[in-house]
Amino acid sequence: MTLSFSPGLFLITGASSGIGAAAATLLARSGVKVVLAARRLERCERLAHQLREEGLWAQARALDITDAASVHALISELSSTSEGLSGALNNAARLESAAPLTEMDPAQAQATWDTNIHAQLTLLQAELRAMAGRGGSIVSVGSIAADLSLYNLAPYAASKAALRSLVRSAAAGAFPQGVRVNLLSPGPTHTEMGHDAYGSDRNLDAAMAASPAGRGALPEEIAQAALWLLSEQAGFVNGAELVVDGGHSL
């Protein structure tokens, strides 16, 4: 099946590595005009340059999603172009340092919630306003951690559960405005964050040995699912959660 996408710009946050970088690459190669945004601007610029060398359309922007003013400024910039904003993959996230719940540093927990909840609300607000009436698709990246009891990563798990609720609430009001909002929940994935959570890439795969897939996901495998949710082929999918974990949740 060939995927098709609405004309306009697609914003990918957390595009400097991992799932975000993979999604930006696949989207650009599908003919989508992509805007790569992350705090690590130099990485986004490097990838955008590589995509332009392939004859594709890609731009890079510096963005800290916890800076509400910067979020609103970027969304305003993109929505005011002739192309407008047609899609967003809200992928940027934070994982605190592992620690037992009773010993968790409140400042680390707050930083996780600032990125994974409060900043996601800011992004959704800005994106929904920009797309209302003209149509669009928003995919927020959650995690199967929302359904797990993670004593050593409790703030992260709680933040992803809250994000699921936020996405559902947003979807209920967005669809009448022509905007779809969905949640993509990966399992353990070979990204910098995934390796940090498990200590190394080998540790991650070892932890997944008993799962049906027997390994962690590759960023491209998660990105493919994101593309489908963003595409016109998922035009009647709204408020859904797509779990991509190779059956690990089973």
Side-chain angles (χ1 to χ4, degrees), residues 11-14 18-20 23 65 88-94 115-117 120 123-124 127 138-146 156 159-164 167 181-187 189 191 193 219 222-223 225-227 229-230 240-242 244:
L11 171 66
I12 302 96
T13 67
I19 295 168
I65 64 170
L89 177 63
N90 296 337
N91 168 69
R94 184 184 188 278
T115 299
N116 296 358
I117 304 175
Q120 301 304 320
L123 277 167
L124 280 169
E127 291 161 355
I138 300 170
V139 175
S140 294
V141 178
S143 170
I144 64 168
Y156 178 78
S159 72
K160 292 303 186 178
L163 178 60
R164 172 194 286 158
V167 165
V181 186
N182 291 292
L183 184 69
L184 174 63
S185 292
T189 304
T191 63
M193 183 180 293
I222 308 302
L227 259 65
L229 285 174
L230 288 167
E241 179 178 9
L242 177 56
V244 184

Short mmCIF file of all heavy atoms in Angstrom, two decimals, residues 11-14 18-20 23 65 88-94 115-117 120 123-124 127 138-146 156 159-164 167 181-187 189 191 193 219 222-223 225-227 229-230 240-242 244:
data_model
loop_
_atom_site.label_atom_id
_atom_site.label_comp_id
_atom_site.label_asym_id
_atom_site.label_seq_id
_atom_site.Cartn_x
_atom_site.Cartn_y
_atom_site.Cartn_z
N LEU A 11 5.66 18.72 11.02
CA LEU A 11 6.63 19.01 12.07
C LEU A 11 6.94 17.73 12.84
O LEU A 11 6.02 17.01 13.26
CB LEU A 11 6.06 20.06 13.03
CG LEU A 11 6.85 20.33 14.31
CD1 LEU A 11 8.21 20.96 13.98
CD2 LEU A 11 6.04 21.23 15.25
N ILE A 12 8.22 17.47 13.04
CA ILE A 12 8.65 16.32 13.85
C ILE A 12 9.50 16.85 14.99
O ILE A 12 10.57 17.42 14.76
CB ILE A 12 9.47 15.30 13.04
CG1 ILE A 12 8.68 14.78 11.85
CG2 ILE A 12 9.87 14.12 13.93
CD1 ILE A 12 8.97 15.49 10.56
N THR A 13 9.03 16.71 16.22
CA THR A 13 9.84 17.11 17.36
C THR A 13 10.69 15.92 17.82
O THR A 13 10.35 14.77 17.56
CB THR A 13 8.99 17.61 18.53
OG1 THR A 13 8.21 16.52 19.07
CG2 THR A 13 8.05 18.73 18.09
N GLY A 14 11.79 16.21 18.49
CA GLY A 14 12.71 15.14 18.85
C GLY A 14 13.29 14.48 17.62
O GLY A 14 13.53 13.28 17.60
N GLY A 18 16.96 8.78 16.80
CA GLY A 18 15.95 7.78 17.12
C GLY A 18 14.72 7.79 16.23
O GLY A 18 14.80 7.93 15.01
N ILE A 19 13.57 7.62 16.87
CA ILE A 19 12.30 7.53 16.15
C ILE A 19 12.02 8.79 15.35
O ILE A 19 11.55 8.74 14.21
CB ILE A 19 11.16 7.24 17.13
CG1 ILE A 19 11.35 5.86 17.78
CG2 ILE A 19 9.80 7.31 16.43
CD1 ILE A 19 10.44 5.61 18.97
N GLY A 20 12.31 9.96 15.93
CA GLY A 20 12.05 11.21 15.24
C GLY A 20 12.86 11.34 13.97
O GLY A 20 12.33 11.74 12.91
N ALA A 23 11.51 8.85 11.38
CA ALA A 23 10.23 9.30 10.81
C ALA A 23 10.43 10.45 9.83
O ALA A 23 9.80 10.50 8.77
CB ALA A 23 9.28 9.70 11.93
N ILE A 65 10.81 21.98 23.67
CA ILE A 65 9.35 21.98 23.78
C ILE A 65 8.85 22.44 25.15
O ILE A 65 7.67 22.74 25.30
CB ILE A 65 8.75 20.59 23.44
CG1 ILE A 65 9.21 19.53 24.44
CG2 ILE A 65 9.08 20.19 22.02
CD1 ILE A 65 8.46 18.21 24.30
N ALA A 88 1.90 16.65 12.42
CA ALA A 88 2.89 16.77 13.49
C ALA A 88 3.09 15.41 14.15
O ALA A 88 2.13 14.70 14.44
CB ALA A 88 2.45 17.79 14.53
N LEU A 89 4.35 15.09 14.36
CA LEU A 89 4.72 13.93 15.16
C LEU A 89 5.37 14.46 16.43
O LEU A 89 6.51 14.94 16.40
CB LEU A 89 5.69 13.02 14.40
CG LEU A 89 6.20 11.79 15.17
CD1 LEU A 89 5.04 10.85 15.52
CD2 LEU A 89 7.26 11.04 14.37
N ASN A 90 4.64 14.40 17.52
CA ASN A 90 5.11 14.93 18.80
C ASN A 90 5.90 13.83 19.51
O ASN A 90 5.37 13.08 20.32
CB ASN A 90 3.94 15.41 19.65
CG ASN A 90 3.22 16.58 19.01
OD1 ASN A 90 3.80 17.30 18.19
ND2 ASN A 90 1.96 16.79 19.37
N ASN A 91 7.18 13.77 19.19
CA ASN A 91 8.02 12.65 19.59
C ASN A 91 8.97 12.97 20.73
O ASN A 91 9.41 12.07 21.45
CB ASN A 91 8.81 12.17 18.35
CG ASN A 91 9.91 11.21 18.70
OD1 ASN A 91 9.65 10.07 19.11
ND2 ASN A 91 11.15 11.66 18.55
N ALA A 92 9.31 14.24 20.91
CA ALA A 92 10.28 14.60 21.95
C ALA A 92 9.78 14.16 23.32
O ALA A 92 8.60 14.31 23.66
CB ALA A 92 10.53 16.11 21.94
N ALA A 93 10.69 13.62 24.13
CA ALA A 93 10.32 13.12 25.45
C ALA A 93 11.54 13.13 26.35
O ALA A 93 12.67 13.34 25.90
CB ALA A 93 9.74 11.71 25.35
N ARG A 94 11.28 12.88 27.63
CA ARG A 94 12.36 12.82 28.62
C ARG A 94 12.20 11.59 29.50
O ARG A 94 11.07 11.21 29.84
CB ARG A 94 12.35 14.07 29.50
CG ARG A 94 13.51 14.12 30.50
CD ARG A 94 13.41 15.32 31.42
NE ARG A 94 14.60 15.48 32.25
CZ ARG A 94 14.84 14.80 33.38
NH1 ARG A 94 13.93 13.92 33.83
NH2 ARG A 94 15.94 15.00 34.06
N THR A 115 8.29 17.91 30.43
CA THR A 115 8.47 17.56 29.03
C THR A 115 7.37 16.65 28.51
O THR A 115 6.83 16.88 27.42
CB THR A 115 9.83 16.84 28.84
OG1 THR A 115 10.88 17.71 29.24
CG2 THR A 115 10.03 16.42 27.39
N ASN A 116 7.01 15.64 29.26
CA ASN A 116 6.13 14.59 28.77
C ASN A 116 4.64 14.87 28.94
O ASN A 116 3.82 14.16 28.35
CB ASN A 116 6.47 13.26 29.45
CG ASN A 116 7.86 12.77 29.11
OD1 ASN A 116 8.57 13.40 28.33
ND2 ASN A 116 8.26 11.66 29.70
N ILE A 117 4.31 15.88 29.75
CA ILE A 117 2.90 16.22 29.94
C ILE A 117 2.64 17.68 29.58
O ILE A 117 1.92 17.98 28.63
CB ILE A 117 2.43 15.95 31.38
CG1 ILE A 117 2.69 14.50 31.78
CG2 ILE A 117 0.94 16.26 31.51
CD1 ILE A 117 2.36 14.20 33.24
N GLN A 120 3.61 18.66 26.11
CA GLN A 120 2.72 18.01 25.13
C GLN A 120 1.38 18.74 25.03
O GLN A 120 0.80 18.85 23.94
CB GLN A 120 2.49 16.55 25.52
CG GLN A 120 3.76 15.71 25.60
CD GLN A 120 4.58 15.73 24.33
OE1 GLN A 120 4.05 15.68 23.23
NE2 GLN A 120 5.89 15.79 24.48
N LEU A 123 2.10 21.83 22.90
CA LEU A 123 2.19 21.46 21.50
C LEU A 123 0.81 21.21 20.90
O LEU A 123 0.48 21.71 19.82
CB LEU A 123 3.05 20.21 21.34
CG LEU A 123 4.56 20.38 21.31
CD1 LEU A 123 5.25 19.04 21.48
CD2 LEU A 123 5.01 21.04 20.01
N LEU A 124 0.01 20.42 21.59
CA LEU A 124 -1.32 20.11 21.07
C LEU A 124 -2.17 21.36 20.92
O LEU A 124 -2.88 21.53 19.91
CB LEU A 124 -2.02 19.11 22.01
CG LEU A 124 -1.62 17.65 21.84
CD1 LEU A 124 -2.18 16.81 22.98
CD2 LEU A 124 -2.10 17.10 20.50
N GLU A 127 -0.83 23.28 17.85
CA GLU A 127 -1.06 22.55 16.60
C GLU A 127 -2.54 22.50 16.24
O GLU A 127 -2.91 22.67 15.06
CB GLU A 127 -0.48 21.15 16.72
CG GLU A 127 1.03 21.12 16.79
CD GLU A 127 1.62 19.85 17.36
OE1 GLU A 127 0.84 18.98 17.82
OE2 GLU A 127 2.85 19.70 17.35
N ILE A 138 -2.22 14.66 13.87
CA ILE A 138 -1.24 14.78 14.94
C ILE A 138 -1.05 13.39 15.57
O ILE A 138 -2.03 12.72 15.89
CB ILE A 138 -1.71 15.77 16.02
CG1 ILE A 138 -1.93 17.16 15.43
CG2 ILE A 138 -0.70 15.83 17.17
CD1 ILE A 138 -2.62 18.12 16.38
N VAL A 139 0.20 13.00 15.72
CA VAL A 139 0.52 11.75 16.40
C VAL A 139 1.44 12.06 17.56
O VAL A 139 2.52 12.63 17.37
CB VAL A 139 1.19 10.74 15.45
CG1 VAL A 139 1.63 9.49 16.22
CG2 VAL A 139 0.25 10.36 14.32
N SER A 140 1.01 11.72 18.75
CA SER A 140 1.86 11.85 19.93
C SER A 140 2.47 10.49 20.24
O SER A 140 1.81 9.46 20.13
CB SER A 140 1.03 12.34 21.13
OG SER A 140 0.55 13.65 20.92
N VAL A 141 3.73 10.52 20.62
CA VAL A 141 4.43 9.26 20.91
C VAL A 141 4.37 8.98 22.40
O VAL A 141 4.91 9.73 23.22
CB VAL A 141 5.89 9.31 20.43
CG1 VAL A 141 6.60 8.00 20.78
CG2 VAL A 141 5.94 9.54 18.92
N GLY A 142 3.67 7.90 22.76
CA GLY A 142 3.56 7.48 24.14
C GLY A 142 4.53 6.35 24.42
O GLY A 142 5.67 6.35 23.93
N SER A 143 4.09 5.37 25.17
CA SER A 143 4.95 4.23 25.50
C SER A 143 4.09 3.16 26.16
O SER A 143 3.11 3.48 26.85
CB SER A 143 6.06 4.65 26.47
OG SER A 143 6.75 3.53 26.97
N ILE A 144 4.48 1.91 25.97
CA ILE A 144 3.79 0.84 26.69
C ILE A 144 4.07 0.94 28.19
O ILE A 144 3.41 0.27 28.98
CB ILE A 144 4.17 -0.55 26.17
CG1 ILE A 144 5.65 -0.87 26.41
CG2 ILE A 144 3.80 -0.69 24.70
CD1 ILE A 144 6.02 -2.32 26.17
N ALA A 145 5.00 1.80 28.58
CA ALA A 145 5.27 2.03 30.00
C ALA A 145 4.03 2.52 30.72
O ALA A 145 3.91 2.35 31.94
CB ALA A 145 6.40 3.05 30.17
N ALA A 146 3.09 3.10 29.99
CA ALA A 146 1.85 3.58 30.60
C ALA A 146 1.07 2.45 31.27
O ALA A 146 0.28 2.70 32.18
CB ALA A 146 0.98 4.26 29.55
N TYR A 156 8.17 8.58 34.66
CA TYR A 156 8.06 8.38 33.22
C TYR A 156 6.80 7.60 32.88
O TYR A 156 6.03 7.99 31.99
CB TYR A 156 9.29 7.63 32.71
CG TYR A 156 9.24 7.33 31.23
CD1 TYR A 156 9.52 8.32 30.29
CD2 TYR A 156 8.93 6.05 30.76
CE1 TYR A 156 9.48 8.05 28.93
CE2 TYR A 156 8.89 5.77 29.41
CZ TYR A 156 9.16 6.77 28.50
OH TYR A 156 9.11 6.50 27.14
N SER A 159 3.79 9.74 33.36
CA SER A 159 3.65 10.78 32.34
C SER A 159 3.06 10.22 31.06
O SER A 159 2.27 10.89 30.39
CB SER A 159 5.01 11.43 32.06
OG SER A 159 5.88 10.56 31.33
N LYS A 160 3.43 9.00 30.70
CA LYS A 160 2.91 8.41 29.47
C LYS A 160 1.43 8.00 29.63
O LYS A 160 0.66 8.04 28.66
CB LYS A 160 3.76 7.21 29.06
CG LYS A 160 5.17 7.60 28.61
CD LYS A 160 5.15 8.59 27.45
CE LYS A 160 6.53 8.87 26.91
NZ LYS A 160 6.54 9.79 25.75
N ALA A 161 1.04 7.63 30.85
CA ALA A 161 -0.38 7.36 31.10
C ALA A 161 -1.18 8.64 30.99
O ALA A 161 -2.29 8.65 30.43
CB ALA A 161 -0.55 6.73 32.48
N ALA A 162 -0.63 9.73 31.50
CA ALA A 162 -1.32 11.02 31.39
C ALA A 162 -1.41 11.48 29.94
O ALA A 162 -2.42 12.05 29.52
CB ALA A 162 -0.59 12.06 32.24
N LEU A 163 -0.36 11.22 29.17
CA LEU A 163 -0.37 11.61 27.75
C LEU A 163 -1.48 10.88 27.01
O LEU A 163 -2.15 11.45 26.15
CB LEU A 163 0.99 11.31 27.12
CG LEU A 163 1.11 11.63 25.63
CD1 LEU A 163 0.87 13.11 25.36
CD2 LEU A 163 2.49 11.20 25.11
N ARG A 164 -1.68 9.60 27.31
CA ARG A 164 -2.77 8.85 26.67
C ARG A 164 -4.11 9.54 26.91
O ARG A 164 -4.90 9.72 25.98
CB ARG A 164 -2.80 7.43 27.22
CG ARG A 164 -4.02 6.63 26.76
CD ARG A 164 -4.18 5.37 27.59
NE ARG A 164 -3.18 4.38 27.24
CZ ARG A 164 -2.80 3.40 28.03
NH1 ARG A 164 -3.30 3.31 29.26
NH2 ARG A 164 -1.91 2.52 27.63
N VAL A 167 -4.35 12.81 24.88
CA VAL A 167 -4.60 12.57 23.46
C VAL A 167 -6.07 12.24 23.22
O VAL A 167 -6.70 12.75 22.27
CB VAL A 167 -3.69 11.44 22.93
CG1 VAL A 167 -4.18 10.92 21.58
CG2 VAL A 167 -2.26 11.94 22.82
N VAL A 181 -6.18 13.12 16.01
CA VAL A 181 -5.15 13.04 17.04
C VAL A 181 -5.08 11.59 17.52
O VAL A 181 -6.08 11.03 17.96
CB VAL A 181 -5.45 13.97 18.23
CG1 VAL A 181 -4.28 13.96 19.21
CG2 VAL A 181 -5.73 15.40 17.75
N ASN A 182 -3.91 11.01 17.42
CA ASN A 182 -3.74 9.61 17.81
C ASN A 182 -2.46 9.42 18.61
O ASN A 182 -1.59 10.30 18.64
CB ASN A 182 -3.70 8.72 16.56
CG ASN A 182 -5.04 8.65 15.86
OD1 ASN A 182 -6.00 8.08 16.39
ND2 ASN A 182 -5.13 9.24 14.67
N LEU A 183 -2.38 8.27 19.27
CA LEU A 183 -1.24 7.94 20.12
C LEU A 183 -0.52 6.73 19.57
O LEU A 183 -1.14 5.71 19.25
CB LEU A 183 -1.73 7.65 21.54
CG LEU A 183 -0.66 7.38 22.59
CD1 LEU A 183 0.14 8.64 22.90
CD2 LEU A 183 -1.30 6.84 23.88
N LEU A 184 0.80 6.84 19.46
CA LEU A 184 1.65 5.72 19.05
C LEU A 184 2.46 5.30 20.26
O LEU A 184 3.21 6.10 20.83
CB LEU A 184 2.58 6.16 17.92
CG LEU A 184 3.65 5.16 17.47
CD1 LEU A 184 3.00 3.91 16.89
CD2 LEU A 184 4.57 5.81 16.45
N SER A 185 2.30 4.05 20.69
CA SER A 185 2.97 3.56 21.90
C SER A 185 3.96 2.46 21.57
O SER A 185 3.59 1.29 21.41
CB SER A 185 1.94 3.07 22.91
OG SER A 185 1.17 4.14 23.40
N PRO A 186 5.24 2.81 21.46
CA PRO A 186 6.25 1.79 21.18
C PRO A 186 6.60 1.00 22.42
O PRO A 186 6.43 1.45 23.56
CB PRO A 186 7.46 2.62 20.73
CG PRO A 186 6.98 4.03 20.59
CD PRO A 186 5.79 4.16 21.48
N GLY A 187 7.15 -0.19 22.18
CA GLY A 187 7.81 -0.92 23.24
C GLY A 187 9.26 -0.51 23.29
O GLY A 187 9.66 0.47 22.64
N THR A 189 12.81 0.28 22.44
CA THR A 189 13.31 0.56 21.09
C THR A 189 14.78 0.96 21.16
O THR A 189 15.23 1.60 22.11
CB THR A 189 12.49 1.69 20.45
OG1 THR A 189 11.10 1.32 20.46
CG2 THR A 189 12.91 1.94 19.01
N THR A 191 16.97 3.22 20.70
CA THR A 191 17.24 4.64 20.60
C THR A 191 18.20 5.01 21.74
O THR A 191 18.47 4.19 22.63
CB THR A 191 15.95 5.46 20.74
OG1 THR A 191 15.41 5.22 22.06
CG2 THR A 191 14.92 5.06 19.69
N MET A 193 17.52 6.94 24.19
CA MET A 193 16.74 6.85 25.42
C MET A 193 16.54 5.40 25.83
O MET A 193 16.62 5.06 27.02
CB MET A 193 15.39 7.55 25.24
CG MET A 193 14.54 7.57 26.50
SD MET A 193 12.94 8.40 26.27
CE MET A 193 13.47 10.08 26.00
N PRO A 219 14.21 1.90 15.34
CA PRO A 219 13.48 3.17 15.17
C PRO A 219 12.63 3.20 13.90
O PRO A 219 11.51 3.73 13.90
CB PRO A 219 14.60 4.21 15.11
CG PRO A 219 15.71 3.61 15.90
CD PRO A 219 15.64 2.13 15.61
N ILE A 222 9.18 1.62 14.28
CA ILE A 222 8.21 2.49 14.95
C ILE A 222 7.79 3.62 14.01
O ILE A 222 6.62 4.00 13.94
CB ILE A 222 8.80 3.06 16.25
CG1 ILE A 222 9.35 1.94 17.14
CG2 ILE A 222 7.75 3.87 16.99
CD1 ILE A 222 8.35 0.89 17.53
N ALA A 223 8.76 4.15 13.28
CA ALA A 223 8.48 5.26 12.37
C ALA A 223 7.49 4.87 11.28
O ALA A 223 6.65 5.68 10.87
CB ALA A 223 9.78 5.76 11.75
N ALA A 225 4.99 2.90 11.55
CA ALA A 225 3.65 2.99 12.13
C ALA A 225 3.21 4.44 12.25
O ALA A 225 2.03 4.77 12.03
CB ALA A 225 3.63 2.30 13.49
N ALA A 226 4.14 5.31 12.61
CA ALA A 226 3.82 6.74 12.71
C ALA A 226 3.38 7.29 11.36
O ALA A 226 2.43 8.08 11.28
CB ALA A 226 5.03 7.51 13.23
N LEU A 227 4.08 6.86 10.30
CA LEU A 227 3.71 7.34 8.96
C LEU A 227 2.28 6.95 8.61
O LEU A 227 1.53 7.74 8.03
CB LEU A 227 4.68 6.78 7.91
CG LEU A 227 5.77 7.75 7.45
CD1 LEU A 227 6.71 8.10 8.57
CD2 LEU A 227 6.52 7.18 6.24
N LEU A 229 -0.26 6.41 10.63
CA LEU A 229 -1.20 7.23 11.39
C LEU A 229 -1.28 8.64 10.84
O LEU A 229 -2.34 9.28 10.89
CB LEU A 229 -0.80 7.26 12.87
CG LEU A 229 -1.07 6.01 13.69
CD1 LEU A 229 -0.47 6.14 15.08
CD2 LEU A 229 -2.58 5.73 13.79
N LEU A 230 -0.17 9.16 10.34
CA LEU A 230 -0.15 10.51 9.78
C LEU A 230 -0.76 10.58 8.39
O LEU A 230 -1.14 11.66 7.92
CB LEU A 230 1.28 11.04 9.72
CG LEU A 230 1.94 11.40 11.05
CD1 LEU A 230 3.45 11.60 10.86
CD2 LEU A 230 1.30 12.65 11.65
N ALA A 240 -7.17 6.93 18.72
CA ALA A 240 -6.74 5.54 18.87
C ALA A 240 -5.33 5.47 19.46
O ALA A 240 -4.56 6.42 19.38
CB ALA A 240 -6.77 4.83 17.52
N GLU A 241 -5.01 4.31 20.00
CA GLU A 241 -3.65 4.02 20.46
C GLU A 241 -3.13 2.83 19.68
O GLU A 241 -3.74 1.76 19.71
CB GLU A 241 -3.60 3.72 21.94
CG GLU A 241 -2.19 3.38 22.43
CD GLU A 241 -2.11 3.12 23.93
OE1 GLU A 241 -3.18 3.02 24.56
OE2 GLU A 241 -0.99 3.00 24.44
N LEU A 242 -2.03 3.03 18.97
CA LEU A 242 -1.42 1.96 18.20
C LEU A 242 -0.17 1.51 18.96
O LEU A 242 0.80 2.26 19.11
CB LEU A 242 -1.03 2.45 16.80
CG LEU A 242 -0.30 1.46 15.90
CD1 LEU A 242 -1.10 0.16 15.74
CD2 LEU A 242 -0.02 2.08 14.55
N VAL A 244 3.08 -0.68 19.23
CA VAL A 244 4.05 -1.31 18.33
C VAL A 244 5.19 -1.83 19.20
O VAL A 244 6.14 -1.10 19.51
CB VAL A 244 4.57 -0.32 17.27
CG1 VAL A 244 5.50 -1.03 16.29
CG2 VAL A 244 3.41 0.32 16.54
#
